[in-house]
């Protein structure tokens, strides 16, 4: 009976711990321990990516809220020029399927979230690699400064 009581108490403790998380339970945070800052990214059929902010710090985690205001699928992929080129090749080889920690595909009228931590200083790009979109100018620049 004592063993049953201990198991019951342990189980209840796990349930209470799981239910006690606040709104930011499981969220990534910046090096300062703060919740990630949210930046809006808007994708449109005129082959544009609009960012509400474009200056970030090394080590900072940003929660990108990516909204597709268009009528066709777009994507939001983060990387430098070399990473953008590599991702474009992968997308073409895989028939435009999408499963990447640096990007999200966004259906028309939908919003997706991407959390990203900036690793090094320099220029970073947000691009859409749906067929022909990047080449049509669907890319936005970001500046990442040192700590």
């Amino acid at each position: 009976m004592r063993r049953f009581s201990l198991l019951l108490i342990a189980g209840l403790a796990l349930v209470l711990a799981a239910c006690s998380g606040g709104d930011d339970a499981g969220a990534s945070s910046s090096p300062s321990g703060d919740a990630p800052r949210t930046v809006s990214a808007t994708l449109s059929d005129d082959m544009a990516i609009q960012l509400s902010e474009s200056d970030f710090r090394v080590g900072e985690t940003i929660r990108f809220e990516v909204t597709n205001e268009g009528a066709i699928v777009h994507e939001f992929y983060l990387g430098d020029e070399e990473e953008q080129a590599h991702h474009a090749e992968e997308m073409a080889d895989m028939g435009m399927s999408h499963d990447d920690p640096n990007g999200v595909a966004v259906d028309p009228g939908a919003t997706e979230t991407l959390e990203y931590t900036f690793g090094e200083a320099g220029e970073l790009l947000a691009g859409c690699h749906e067929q022909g979109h990047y080449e049509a100018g669907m890319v936005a620049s970001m500046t990442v400064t040192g700590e």
Side-chain angles (χ1 to χ4, degrees), residues 36-39 56 60-64 114-118:
R37 163 167 72 110
T38 299
V39 171
F56 306 102
E60 182 177 25
T61 299
I62 296 294
R63 178 180 293 123
F64 288 96
L114 174 70
E115 284 194 15
Y116 185 85
T117 302
F118 294 94

Side-chain angles (χ1 to χ4, degrees), residues 21-144:
D23 290 339
D24 61 353
S28 298
S29 61
S30 65
S32 66
D34 298 332
R37 163 167 72 110
T38 299
V39 171
S40 297
T42 304
L43 313 177
S44 63
D45 290 350
D46 62 355
M47 301 302 136
I49 298 174
Q50 297 292 327
L51 300 170
S52 62
E53 297 179 49
S54 60
D55 295 316
F56 306 102
R57 294 183 325 272
V58 170
E60 182 177 25
T61 299
I62 296 294
R63 178 180 293 123
F64 288 96
E65 294 287 334
V66 186
T67 301
N68 181 351
E69 292 184 342
I72 58 177
V73 173
H74 292 292
E75 81 162 341
F76 182 80
Y77 180 82
L78 299 175
D80 61 21
E81 285 186 30
E82 184 178 323
E83 291 166 319
Q84 294 289 340
H86 180 71
H87 182 67
E89 289 175 17
E90 285 183 339
M91 291 286 284
D93 290 345
M94 295 185 307
M96 303 309 282
S97 70
H98 200 284
D99 184 18
D100 194 292
N102 287 8
V104 292
V106 188
D107 289 330
T111 298
E112 298 290 337
T113 301
L114 174 70
E115 284 194 15
Y116 185 85
T117 302
F118 294 94
E120 56 187 58
E123 182 182 27
L124 199 66
L125 304 170
C128 176
H129 292 281
E130 291 293 326
Q131 192 170 18
H133 293 196
Y134 193 85
E135 296 77 11
M138 196 162 187
V139 61
S141 295
M142 293 173 270
T143 303
V144 183

